Amino acid sequence: MCLLVQDNNGRCVMDLLVNLDVDDLEKAVGFYSSAFGLKIGRRFGAFGVEMLGSSAPIYLLVKSSGTPAADTTSQRRDYQRRHWTPLHLDFVVDEIEVAVQRAVLAGARLEKSIATYKWGRLALMADPFGHGFCFVQFLGRGYDEIAE
Protein backbone atom coordinates (compact mmCIF):
# COMPACT_ATOMS: atom_id res chain seq x y z
CA MET A 1 0.00 0.00 0.00
CA CYS A 2 1.36 3.38 -0.99
CA LEU A 3 0.58 6.27 1.35
CA LEU A 4 2.20 8.70 -1.06
CA VAL A 5 1.58 9.10 -4.78
CA GLN A 6 2.41 6.35 -7.24
CA ASP A 7 4.45 7.31 -10.29
CA ASN A 8 4.06 5.77 -13.76
CA ASN A 9 6.31 2.87 -12.71
CA GLY A 10 4.22 2.05 -9.63
CA ARG A 11 6.79 3.46 -7.19
CA CYS A 12 5.69 5.49 -4.18
CA VAL A 13 6.93 9.05 -4.50
CA MET A 14 6.32 12.33 -2.74
CA ASP A 15 6.10 15.77 -4.28
CA LEU A 16 8.04 18.37 -2.34
CA LEU A 17 6.85 21.97 -1.99
CA VAL A 18 9.00 24.67 -0.41
CA ASN A 19 7.24 27.38 1.60
CA LEU A 20 9.17 30.50 2.62
CA ASP A 21 7.71 33.12 4.92
CA VAL A 22 8.56 36.68 3.83
CA ASP A 23 7.45 40.08 5.05
CA ASP A 24 7.59 41.82 1.65
CA LEU A 25 6.14 39.80 -1.22
CA GLU A 26 7.26 41.96 -4.13
CA LYS A 27 10.79 42.24 -2.73
CA ALA A 28 10.85 38.44 -2.37
CA VAL A 29 9.58 37.90 -5.92
CA GLY A 30 12.24 40.29 -7.21
CA PHE A 31 14.99 38.56 -5.24
CA TYR A 32 14.08 34.98 -6.19
CA SER A 33 13.60 36.02 -9.83
CA SER A 34 16.91 37.87 -10.04
CA ALA A 35 19.04 35.58 -7.88
CA PHE A 36 17.84 32.21 -9.18
CA GLY A 37 16.05 32.93 -12.45
CA LEU A 38 12.76 31.63 -11.07
CA LYS A 39 9.52 32.68 -12.76
CA ILE A 40 6.13 33.48 -11.30
CA GLY A 41 3.73 30.57 -11.63
CA ARG A 42 0.57 31.64 -9.83
CA ARG A 43 -0.32 34.55 -7.57
CA PHE A 44 -2.51 34.01 -4.53
CA GLY A 45 -3.77 37.54 -4.07
CA ALA A 46 -1.62 39.65 -1.78
CA PHE A 47 -0.73 36.63 0.35
CA GLY A 48 1.57 34.50 -1.79
CA VAL A 49 3.31 33.73 -5.05
CA GLU A 50 4.36 30.42 -6.58
CA MET A 51 7.87 30.54 -8.06
CA LEU A 52 8.78 27.96 -10.70
CA GLY A 53 12.04 26.87 -12.27
CA SER A 54 13.58 24.61 -9.64
CA SER A 55 12.94 20.92 -9.07
CA ALA A 56 10.36 21.88 -6.42
CA PRO A 57 8.05 24.90 -6.59
CA ILE A 58 8.84 27.61 -4.05
CA TYR A 59 5.90 29.38 -2.43
CA LEU A 60 6.60 32.84 -1.06
CA LEU A 61 4.06 33.47 1.71
CA VAL A 62 3.49 36.84 3.35
CA LYS A 63 3.79 36.61 7.13
CA SER A 64 4.41 39.86 8.99
CA SER A 65 7.41 40.22 11.23
CA GLY A 66 6.44 39.85 14.89
CA THR A 67 3.48 37.55 14.24
CA PRO A 68 3.38 34.17 16.02
CA ALA A 69 5.32 31.45 14.21
CA ALA A 70 2.74 28.86 15.33
CA ASP A 71 -0.04 28.48 17.88
CA THR A 72 2.09 26.05 19.89
CA THR A 73 5.02 28.39 20.54
CA SER A 74 5.66 31.89 21.82
CA GLN A 75 8.28 32.40 19.12
CA ARG A 76 7.64 35.33 16.79
CA ARG A 77 8.67 35.67 13.17
CA ASP A 78 11.91 37.58 12.76
CA TYR A 79 13.44 38.21 9.36
CA GLN A 80 16.82 39.35 10.65
CA ARG A 81 19.73 36.96 10.13
CA ARG A 82 20.40 36.65 13.87
CA HIS A 83 19.30 33.06 14.06
CA TRP A 84 20.43 29.72 12.73
CA THR A 85 18.00 27.15 11.40
CA PRO A 86 18.78 23.48 10.82
CA LEU A 87 16.76 23.52 7.59
CA HIS A 88 17.95 25.40 4.53
CA LEU A 89 17.84 25.11 0.76
CA ASP A 90 20.78 24.01 -1.39
CA PHE A 91 20.76 25.22 -4.99
CA VAL A 92 22.94 23.08 -7.26
CA VAL A 93 24.75 25.20 -9.85
CA ASP A 94 27.31 24.67 -12.62
CA GLU A 95 29.36 27.80 -11.87
CA ILE A 96 29.37 28.78 -8.21
CA GLU A 97 31.16 32.13 -8.59
CA VAL A 98 28.58 33.30 -11.15
CA ALA A 99 25.69 32.15 -8.91
CA VAL A 100 27.14 33.90 -5.84
CA GLN A 101 27.70 37.13 -7.75
CA ARG A 102 24.18 37.07 -9.18
CA ALA A 103 22.62 36.42 -5.76
CA VAL A 104 24.68 39.13 -4.04
CA LEU A 105 23.67 41.65 -6.70
CA ALA A 106 20.03 40.66 -6.04
CA GLY A 107 20.41 41.32 -2.30
CA ALA A 108 21.82 38.10 -0.78
CA ARG A 109 24.76 37.98 1.62
CA LEU A 110 27.73 35.64 1.27
CA GLU A 111 28.16 34.41 4.85
CA LYS A 112 31.24 32.28 4.28
CA SER A 113 33.68 32.31 1.38
CA ILE A 114 33.38 29.56 -1.20
CA ALA A 115 35.01 26.40 0.15
CA THR A 116 36.22 23.42 -1.86
CA TYR A 117 35.81 19.84 -0.69
CA LYS A 118 36.50 16.48 -2.29
CA TRP A 119 32.86 16.27 -3.43
CA GLY A 120 32.47 19.87 -4.61
CA ARG A 121 32.31 23.54 -3.76
CA LEU A 122 30.01 25.24 -1.25
CA ALA A 123 28.94 28.85 -0.62
CA LEU A 124 26.93 29.69 2.51
CA MET A 125 24.44 32.48 1.82
CA ALA A 126 21.46 34.33 3.31
CA ASP A 127 18.55 35.87 1.44
CA PRO A 128 17.25 39.37 2.31
CA PHE A 129 14.68 37.78 4.67
CA GLY A 130 17.20 35.95 6.86
CA HIS A 131 16.73 32.52 5.29
CA GLY A 132 19.95 30.58 4.94
CA PHE A 133 20.70 28.82 1.68
CA CYS A 134 23.74 27.35 -0.03
CA PHE A 135 25.07 27.09 -3.52
CA VAL A 136 26.57 23.69 -4.30
CA GLN A 137 28.76 22.96 -7.31
CA PHE A 138 29.50 19.26 -7.55
CA LEU A 139 32.95 18.15 -8.70
CA GLY A 140 33.91 14.76 -10.05
CA ARG A 141 31.30 12.26 -8.87
CA GLY A 142 29.77 14.68 -6.36
CA TYR A 143 28.74 13.08 -3.08
CA ASP A 144 29.77 9.69 -4.48
CA GLU A 145 33.36 10.88 -3.95
CA ILE A 146 32.82 10.43 -0.19
CA ALA A 147 30.04 7.82 -0.07
CA GLU A 148 30.87 4.49 1.52
Side-chain angles (χ1 to χ4, degrees):
M1 178 176 177
C2 183
L3 298 178
L4 306 174
V5 177
Q6 285 190 343
D7 68 8
N8 293 335
N9 297 319
R11 294 177 298 203
C12 291
V13 296
M14 179 187 308
D15 282 340
L16 177 68
L17 308 177
V18 176
N19 294 303
L20 293 177
D21 292 355
V22 299
D23 60 350
D24 183 329
L25 188 58
E26 293 312 312
K27 181 178 175 182
V29 168
F31 174 76
Y32 281 89
S33 296
S34 296
F36 304 107
L38 300 178
K39 305 291 183 208
I40 294 173
R42 297 176 286 177
R43 286 190 172 269
F44 307 105
F47 304 103
V49 172
E50 174 186 59
M51 301 297 292
L52 302 174
S54 66
S55 57
I58 296 176
Y59 292 90
L60 304 173
L61 307 174
V62 175
K63 306 286 183 176
S64 297
S65 185
T67 59
D71 291 339
T72 57
T73 180
S74 62
Q75 185 177 8
R76 303 267 179 198
R77 286 183 179 84
D78 177 359
Y79 296 104
Q80 302 300 312
R81 185 67 173 161
R82 294 185 298 233
H83 63 283
W84 173 84
T85 177
L87 177 66
H88 65 273
L89 302 177
D90 284 352
F91 293 92
V92 178
V93 297
D94 291 329
E95 297 180 34
I96 199 165
E97 287 90 356
V98 172
V100 167
Q101 182 180 23
R102 181 176 176 171
V104 168
L105 288 173
R109 279 196 328 260
L110 177 64
E111 295 193 320
K112 185 175 179 184
S113 297
I114 299 169
T116 301
Y117 302 92
K118 187 173 183 180
W119 53 266
R121 302 179 73 204
L122 179 69
L124 280 62
M125 311 285 297
D127 77 3
F129 307 94
H131 302 299
F133 68 92
C134 295
F135 284 121
V136 174
Q137 178 183 347
F138 288 118
L139 300 176
R141 297 179 301 132
Y143 288 143
D144 283 341
E145 294 285 353
I146 59 172
E148 297 177 4

